Amino acid sequence: QSALTQPASVSGSPGQSITISCTGTSSDVGGYNYVSWYQQHPGKAPKLMIYEVSNRPSRVSNRFSGSKSGNTASLTISGLQAEDEADYYCSSYTSTSPYVFGTGTKVTVL
Amino acid sequence: EVQLVQSGAEVKKPGESLRISCKGSGYSFTSYWISWVRQMPGKGLEWMGTIDPSDSYTNYSPSFQGHVTISADKSTRTAYLQWSSLKASDTAMYYCARHLGQKDGMDVWGQGTTATVSS
């Protein structure tokens, strides 16, 4: 099972919106509505930001939203803030592995 | 408070064995699957395998099958990740994490356990 494909880096200015893509196949992202997104700050454990494509845990800011189209899922961060600077990983249930993470995206707030 | 607390950092030599632990509290331990995730220095997250603590059913990533063993003890609410013969390439941070549902994301994470394997 190959890792899901994410851009290595995405950047934006405070207040802007950015979108991170996560591309898989019909055996994972495209085949199930079990895509999750995680935020990881340096030296910290990952934190669940989105589950089941677009659901947000109660403690997560509504500036974070998720969606999916075909084999590609997306995480959008609106009103970008300095504290959003971190690494972000997608994950999906798969028909084989049964879980797989994305390659990770470093978000930089300019 | 729902939490997973992992055992402390380990330093081992190649060929030695190792078992690290992950203790759950604040929730029904047998109601949620637990996965182990590897993060090598400066690298991304890798799913290693998962266990259903209610019956100890396990499922491993092909990349880790045969090299690690995942187990759980319901009586102590603890999940384990173990190696019988470590390699230098096992040097990494290891996280345990609880799944929302069998196919779902991981909503509670341990603080991580660093394993360093060096001669």
Side-chain angles (χ1 to χ4, degrees):
Chain A
Q1 178 68 51
S2 299
L4 306 175
T5 301
Q6 299 180 230
S9 63
V10 173
S11 62
S13 300
Q16 286 186 329
S17 292
I18 61 169
T19 297
I20 303 168
S21 61
C22 169
T23 301
T25 69
S26 58
S27 296
D28 39 65
V29 174
Y32 303 93
N33 288 324
Y34 288 108
V35 176
S36 303
W37 289 91
Y38 303 89
Q39 176 192 65
Q40 186 180 34
H41 286 109
K44 300 294 186 182
K47 173 186 174 184
L48 179 67
M49 306 302 283
I50 296 288
Y51 65 99
E52 294 173 9
V53 177
S54 60
N55 291 327
R56 196 174 49 246
S58 57
R59 52 175 172 68
V60 172
S61 169
N62 58 11
R63 297 186 297 105
F64 291 83
S65 61
S67 62
K68 188 183 84 167
S69 178
N71 296 336
T72 298
S74 299
L75 174 71
T76 298
I77 309 174
S78 58
L80 198 62
Q81 299 180 1
E83 67 206 49
D84 301 330
E85 187 162 292
D87 294 325
Y88 291 82
Y89 296 90
C90 62
S91 175
S92 175
Y93 182 80
T94 85
S95 61
T96 54
S97 189
Y99 307 105
V100 64
F101 283 102
T103 50
T105 298
K106 180 176 181 60
V107 168
T108 301
V109 181
L110 301 172
Chain B
E1 179 190 5
V2 175
Q3 58 179 350
L4 296 172
V5 178
Q6 298 184 225
S7 49
E10 301 275 2
V11 179
K12 294 287 188 178
K13 290 179 167 46
E16 292 185 333
S17 63
L18 173 64
R19 189 177 77 165
I20 62 177
S21 66
C22 168
K23 185 175 179 65
S25 63
Y27 72 98
S28 174
F29 184 71
T30 54
S31 297
Y32 296 83
W33 291 47
I34 288 180
S35 277
W36 287 93
V37 175
R38 183 176 80 174
Q39 188 167 38
M40 300 178 76
K43 302 298 183 181
L45 305 176
E46 300 173 90
W47 177 75
M48 301 176 70
T50 194
I51 188 165
D52 178 353
S54 68
D55 62 5
S56 289
Y57 169 81
T58 53
N59 197 341
Y60 294 91
S61 163
S63 299
F64 294 92
Q65 178 85 47
H67 187 54
V68 298
T69 301
I70 295 171
S71 60
D73 184 339
K74 290 188 290 188
S75 66
T76 60
R77 307 169 59 87
T78 304
Y80 298 97
L81 176 66
Q82 66 182 61
W83 296 257
S84 59
S85 181
L86 288 160
K87 305 175 183 177
S89 57
D90 292 318
T91 294
M93 175 71 83
Y94 294 90
Y95 295 101
C96 63
R98 184 187 84 163
H99 284 269
L100 277 166
Q102 180 186 345
K103 299 180 180 179
D104 222 328
M106 291 165 261
D107 67 332
V108 180
W109 290 69
Q111 82 276 22
T113 297
T114 299
T116 302
V117 184
S118 174
S119 55

